[in-house]
Amino acid sequence: MFIDEARIYVRSGKGGDGIVHFHREKYVARGGPDGGDGGRGGDVILEVSPSLNTLVKFRYQRRFIAPDGERGGPNNMTGRSGEDLIIPVPPGTVVYDDDTGELLGDLTEPGQRLIVCRGGRGGRGNARFATPRNQAPRIAEKGEPGQERNLRLELKLIADVGIVGVPNAGKSSFLAAVTNAKPKIADYPFTTLEPNLGVADLDANTSLVLADIPGLVEGAHRGVGLGDAFLRHIQRTKVLIHLLDGLSPDPVADYAQINSELALFDPELTRKPMIVALNKIDLPEVQERWPQIQQALKERGVEATAISALRKIGLQPILWQCAELVKQAPAVPVREELPVYRPAADPRAFQVIRLPDGSFKVTGEAVERAAAMTYWEYEESVRRFQKLMETLGVDEALRQAGVQNGDTVFIGDHFELEWQE
């Protein structure tokens, strides 16, 4: 099954918690703080695997969560870091943030990696908070929460040559004749419902990767027929083979129609080198029409050739011509978007909202992260959190919003506190 678009949810690992612990050993009085730090949470990484050519895996698994870091230990032992979660994807995968539409990366080279979510750092143990004035701190940090994202993956097959044409022009027959691919072949339109890849070996040192694209009809860029869902797969090709159906009532009109659809989908497609070939020349009626069709194309500035995919007539010269054009063609550029300059988000920024029931809600990256990393059972940790709120200006903002003793204050969606002056 060929799947070329998928949506997945990914989340990196949470950092391990630091601990409060004091050294205990026989004959050692007043052992100092030795609580270790937590381990780092695992990253979520997309990695190109050359053995894959479809996103079908993501049809059955759509949630990917990296392991958390482990809790710190006594004797200043750092917890084990969570292993990175590596998700294999096929070459040609374009990665977007599904919520914002932002392009995150274009993965084309074998082994290429993209970190889509970074693991949270481990919380610090109480040994990190020891000072000459506070030699026995009862304070530690919990691990930093991991990141989470909804991703949209699009696959654009990486091939040297793309084969295009109207339905039933013989594209699958051509691919089967020159490669070991086994596409479905029948004498009715839209036999091919998904792109097919094949490798043609011209000699010991020359080979071509060909992609057979499902047939296009007029209005494909608007969704007519099979639509433009598969046209993205020829955007990375260097050369196009345009097959014309020798039995079509007007092959020249078909040629113009397909070129128009390519231009409407992506103008760059019409700038690619294109080899035009009339298929089914083994049939007497096609042989009779060929001079007229060839002349009509020549008047349009198109040099065409006649072939038969079924009888394997004239195929090798086309492949060698493709090989020469592929050598001369520039490298296909990696998918990039125009730079969008956005103001950098201030991690210290926050917002105070008064809820309908009279309670207050504080949201903000730094505030919510600090709350998630606070040990609420240790008084020193709570005081540290309160001091941070004062430093950020949250306390003053709540007073200006009208907070009173006994009012409920929510920090993000997970922490509920009571205001006391």
Side-chain angles (χ1 to χ4, degrees), residues 216-224 227-228 231 260-265:
L216 302 173
V217 296
E218 185 175 2
H221 70 283
R222 300 193 307 270
V224 178
D228 61 0
L231 277 173
S260 296
E261 293 301 325
L262 295 178
L264 289 169
F265 179 76

Side-chain angles (χ1 to χ4, degrees), residues 342-353:
R342 301 180 176 91
D346 183 1
R348 297 164 60 91
F350 63 88
Q351 184 178 15
V352 175
I353 305 170

Side-chain angles (χ1 to χ4, degrees), residues 84-412:
D84 293 337
L85 176 60
I86 299 176
I87 305 173
V89 296
T93 301
V94 185
V95 186
Y96 296 92
D97 186 309
D98 198 32
D99 297 321
T100 66
E102 179 187 1
L103 174 67
L104 301 179
D106 190 353
L107 305 176
T108 58
E109 300 297 328
Q112 184 180 353
R113 288 186 168 193
L114 174 67
I115 301 176
V116 291
C117 284
R118 294 190 179 276
R121 68 173 177 86
R124 293 176 291 177
N126 68 330
R128 294 290 199 95
F129 293 93
T131 66
R133 297 182 62 183
N134 185 8
Q135 298 182 17
R138 294 184 177 275
I139 179 174
E141 289 177 335
K142 291 188 176 181
E144 181 183 20
Q147 299 175 339
E148 58 182 357
R149 253 179 172 159
N150 293 305
L151 301 179
R152 176 166 56 90
L153 308 180
E154 286 187 3
L155 175 61
K156 296 182 180 180
L157 293 178
I158 297 179
D160 299 314
V161 181
I163 310 171
V164 299
V166 295
N168 218 33
K171 300 181 295 298
S172 296
S173 298
F174 183 94
L175 186 70
V178 300
T179 73
N180 288 326
K182 305 295 182 185
K184 182 179 180 181
I185 299 172
D187 60 353
Y188 55 83
F190 297 113
T191 310
T192 301
L193 299 178
E194 59 191 36
N196 295 299
L197 278 180
V199 179
D201 293 318
L202 279 64
D203 60 24
N205 301 314
T206 308
S207 63
L208 293 172
V209 179
L210 295 93
D212 161 28
I213 307 302
L216 302 173
V217 296
E218 185 175 2
H221 70 283
R222 300 193 307 270
V224 178
L226 293 179
D228 61 0
F230 301 116
L231 277 173
R232 70 169 72 100
H233 296 295
I234 60 173
Q235 287 181 310
R236 297 191 193 275
T237 60
K238 297 180 179 179
V239 178
L240 297 179
I241 295 178
H242 191 154
L243 281 190
L244 303 178
D245 184 0
L247 294 178
S248 169
D250 192 347
V252 179
D254 292 344
Y255 169 82
Q257 170 212 312
I258 297 300
N259 277 5
S260 296
E261 293 301 325
L262 295 178
L264 289 169
F265 179 76
D266 183 353
E268 290 297 323
L269 294 178
T270 59
R271 300 186 180 96
K272 293 181 182 290
M274 179 182 289
I275 298 173
V276 180
L278 183 78
N279 193 20
K280 306 177 183 177
I281 195 62
D282 55 304
L283 301 177
E285 56 267 42
V286 178
Q287 295 174 11
E288 184 178 347
R289 301 173 61 200
W290 167 233
Q292 179 184 354
I293 296 171
Q294 185 180 30
Q295 181 60 35
L297 289 171
K298 186 174 292 187
E299 291 174 0
R300 290 175 170 261
V302 178
E303 291 293 335
T305 185
I307 65 168
S308 171
L310 181 65
R311 302 297 180 187
K312 299 185 178 181
I313 299 172
L315 304 187
Q316 285 299 312
I318 285 184
L319 293 179
W320 280 109
Q321 189 179 353
C322 285
E324 289 301 317
L325 291 174
V326 167
K327 290 179 183 177
Q328 300 169 14
V332 178
V334 172
R335 175 80 168 90
E336 293 182 354
E337 291 185 345
L338 289 175
V340 178
Y341 298 99
R342 301 180 176 91
D346 183 1
R348 297 164 60 91
F350 63 88
Q351 184 178 15
V352 175
I353 305 170
R354 184 150 195 173
L355 302 178
D357 61 359
S359 60
F360 296 83
K361 183 175 182 179
V362 182
T363 59
E365 181 181 341
V367 175
E368 294 183 46
R369 183 174 64 243
M373 298 179 69
T374 296
Y375 270 105
W376 298 102
E377 55 268 40
Y378 294 119
E379 185 177 348
E380 287 187 45
S381 292
V382 175
R383 286 203 301 267
R384 180 171 178 264
F385 177 78
Q386 292 173 335
K387 185 176 181 180
L388 177 62
M389 296 301 98
E390 293 175 2
T391 302
L392 292 175
V394 177
D395 281 17
E396 184 61 30
L398 284 167
R399 291 190 184 95
Q400 291 180 4
V403 70
Q404 301 293 328
N405 278 340
D407 285 349
T408 300
V409 178
F410 294 94
I411 307 296

